[in-house]
């Protein structure tokens, strides 16, 4: 398997960080507000410290990019991208859909990714060329595949993240009509939304505002499950600030919507 050592470390790191966050959650949380008005807790910082320490010990020449400020230049040409708690608002309020995310970037591509949903007891992971997988308390590993039989929006489940950012989007006046065309719409939180697509339980994910640590792990897991990951401008980068992830048959129509074209297939 390609990147076997890196993937094993990523899986172990997100599991241990998930356990640490659960322990912190049982204690009194220290919550503060960052300059962008998003919350941060002592659990976020403890998780990032744990993960970056593990990475530094195992891969000292690799770079680091962490949501809570961890930075290390790469000597190897590779960079780990860390989201110690994706969904801190959920974490603070006791909503179970938060995650720990870790991705490895090499040669301009995300080549390894791991996502731990601690409360749900699930770990998702992928390495380039080796497929996407899920482990849970009930068993695993289970190979993941997107729902390739979904070819029409009327039969599709759409997940949206950051609904509060939607009004600023150019497509906002057309959003309600677009949502009404889907079989159903869900908003569970970015990491879980992405994993629902990767595991075939949802068919499209619309994320209007995201940082690289929000997207790195999810990108490769979705792609290795057979899905598409694309930015609103048609790019394919975790630095694009947004994304669509979906089954292949829905990519063109999703892009037409965010770009302002007709959403009615010819």
């Amino acid at each position: 398997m390609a990147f076997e050592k890196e993937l094993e470390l990523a899986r172990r790191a997100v599991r241990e960080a998930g356990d640490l966050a659960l322990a912190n959650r049982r204690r009194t949380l220290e919550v503060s507000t960052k300059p962008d008005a998003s919350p941060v807790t002592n659990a976020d910082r403890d998780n990032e410290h744990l993960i970056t320490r593990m990475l530094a010990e195992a891969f000292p020449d690799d770079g680091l990019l962490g949501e809570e400020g961890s930075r290390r230049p790469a000597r190897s040409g590779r960079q780990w991208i860390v989201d110690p708690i994706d969904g801190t608002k959920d974490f603070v309020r006791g909503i179970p859909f938060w995650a720990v995310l870790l991705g490895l970037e090499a040669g301009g591509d995300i080549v390894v990714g791991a996502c731990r949903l601690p409360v749900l007891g699930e770990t998702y992971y992928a390495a380039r060329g080796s497929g996407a997988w899920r482990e849970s308390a009930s068993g695993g590993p289970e190979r993941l595949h997107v729902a390739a039989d979904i070819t029409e929006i009327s039969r599709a489940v759409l997940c949206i993240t950051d609904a509060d950012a939607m009004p600023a989007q150019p497509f906002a006046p057309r959003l309600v009509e677009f949502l009404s065309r889907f079989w159903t719409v869900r908003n569970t939180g970015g990491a879980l939304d992405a994993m629902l697509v990767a595991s075939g339980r949802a068919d499209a994910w619309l994320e209007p505002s995201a940082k690289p640590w929000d997207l790195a792990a999810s990108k490769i897991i979705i792609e290795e499950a057979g899905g598409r990951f694309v930015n609103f401008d048609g790019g394919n980068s975790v630095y694009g600030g947004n994304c669509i992830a979906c089954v292949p048959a829905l990519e063109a129509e999703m892009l037409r919507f965010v770009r302002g074209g007709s959403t009615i297939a010819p």
Side-chain angles (χ1 to χ4, degrees), residues 217-229:
S218 297
K219 179 180 187 292
I220 186 169
I221 293 170
I222 287 167
E223 290 177 338
E224 286 294 314
R228 298 282 197 264
F229 178 100

Side-chain angles (χ1 to χ4, degrees), residues 166-187:
M166 293 293 184
Q169 299 296 320
F171 55 71
R174 298 176 284 109
L175 181 60
V176 172
E177 183 277 331
F178 184 62
L179 298 183
S180 72
R181 297 180 53 220
F182 285 82
W183 188 60
T184 193
V185 179
R186 295 289 181 264
N187 181 0

